[in-house]
Amino acid sequence: MTNNPEATPPVSTPAEPTAHPDPLDERTFSRVIEPRGAARLPLGDGTWHQLARAYVWVQIISTGTMTLLVLAAAVALQLWLQQTWVWIPAGIILLICLWSLAITPRQARSYGYQLRRDDLVFRRGILWQRMVAVPYGRMQLIDITHGPLDRGFGIAQLKLVTAAAATGVTIPGLTQKAAESLRDTLVDVAETRRTGL
């Protein structure tokens, strides 16, 4: 009998389970930022998932581009047409854009969603807080969209449409993988909830 190492199957030893990260938590922020006041909406128990960190860069690039376009238009009108009044609306828009650029990182970290037994809870906002619970059985459409800049950074937004327009939720800044995984999970759960009605 020849001693061929390829002929004998390798002995399988119990391997330690490899930790596969949840696709909902890949490349995201570590925790939801809460407002500091005592009258804030509490997060409650359970696991909160967050937006992708790339969402901040997409927002900064979009807002920065808008800021540069407004500035270029104001300078062009000032130089070629000697229109000094243009600095009033341009100044207001530029202030709003700069404020938006300053608060974008903190604002993005205030977004979060939680998958509970009967519903999805979505929260956002520091100053103006919003918390919405969308029952799984009421979901009618789950839509994933992403623009060119979103695709470049590998993110998408997921929109949940229900019969009541007020309870519709759009979760921006999910990684593409997280958006697809969340869509599949919500479709499966919504189907079982509807058949159970």
Side-chain angles (χ1 to χ4, degrees), residues 124-187:
R124 68 176 171 88
I126 299 291
L127 295 177
W128 288 274
Q129 301 168 50
R130 181 180 185 209
M131 192 174 289
V132 181
V134 183
Y136 295 132
R138 302 290 180 194
M139 293 179 191
Q140 295 183 336
L141 174 71
I142 300 167
D143 182 25
I144 296 176
T145 58
H146 45 81
L149 192 55
D150 294 335
R151 283 194 301 275
F153 280 86
I155 63 172
Q157 70 177 12
L158 185 131
K159 184 175 183 181
L160 309 171
V161 179
T162 63
T167 58
V169 167
T170 301
I171 306 174
L174 299 173
T175 63
Q176 187 71 35
K177 198 176 193 181
E180 291 170 2
S181 174
L182 184 57
R183 177 198 58 202
D184 295 342
T185 300
L186 293 176
V187 166

Side-chain angles (χ1 to χ4, degrees), residues 78-100:
Q78 170 72 42
L79 292 177
W80 289 324
L81 301 176
Q82 285 74 39
Q83 300 291 324
T84 56
W85 62 268
V86 77
W87 287 106
I88 295 170
I92 293 170
I93 294 170
L94 290 172
L95 280 175
I96 292 169
C97 288
L98 291 175
W99 173 253
S100 179

